[in-house]
Amino acid sequence: MSSETAGALAGAGDGFVTGVAGDARRAQAQFPAGVLEVIEARGDVWIVVERDTLQDLLTFLRDDEALAYRFFSECVGVDYLDTQTGQPCGGRSHRFEVVYNLVSLSGVAGAPLSAK
């Protein structure tokens, strides 16, 4: 885990990012083997999960009363193809990624979830 990710998990302070980062930590504690990484950048929090864990994680985020991620905002497909090399760009091992954007109805704003 990078020091930036570890800092994101610390979640010191108040406000939107702390609340969502706290939700991400709770999800990571619930699925320690399935949550690969929690990333905080530019005011957003991403939970990177294994494909096999995705359905259970989404169900947990929806059904947990304290989290209440019950609004499915959008699903986005990302293609990381470097058209010059024909390989995934940015040192990634994968070419495609699916991003699920959810919004909590518990009073905390949404947390984008990224599934590899």
Side-chain angles (χ1 to χ4, degrees):
M1 175 184 312
S2 71
S3 61
E4 181 179 277
T5 300
L9 293 175
D14 295 327
F16 163 74
V17 173
T18 301
V20 176
D23 293 350
R25 283 193 309 275
R26 188 165 176 180
Q28 190 172 41
Q30 183 73 23
F31 301 97
V35 173
L36 301 175
E37 187 175 17
V38 174
I39 303 167
E40 183 180 342
R42 298 180 297 278
D44 290 323
V45 178
W46 290 271
I47 303 171
V48 183
V49 301
E50 288 284 351
R51 263 180 245 162
D52 295 341
T53 305
L54 181 63
Q55 184 174 353
D56 291 336
L57 175 72
L58 292 174
T59 300
F60 170 74
L61 291 170
R62 181 195 68 199
D63 294 346
D64 186 286
E65 289 300 320
L67 300 176
Y69 282 86
R70 296 193 183 115
F71 181 73
F72 180 79
S73 176
E74 65 184 340
C75 179
V76 180
V78 182
D79 183 352
Y80 290 108
L81 177 66
D82 182 329
T83 57
Q84 293 180 345
T85 66
Q87 299 297 316
C89 63
R92 289 177 170 80
S93 61
H94 60 281
R95 178 175 164 188
F96 297 104
E97 190 169 83
V98 178
V99 179
Y100 298 88
N101 290 313
L102 308 175
V103 177
S104 173
L105 301 181
S106 70
V108 177
L113 303 180
S114 177
K116 288 185 181 182

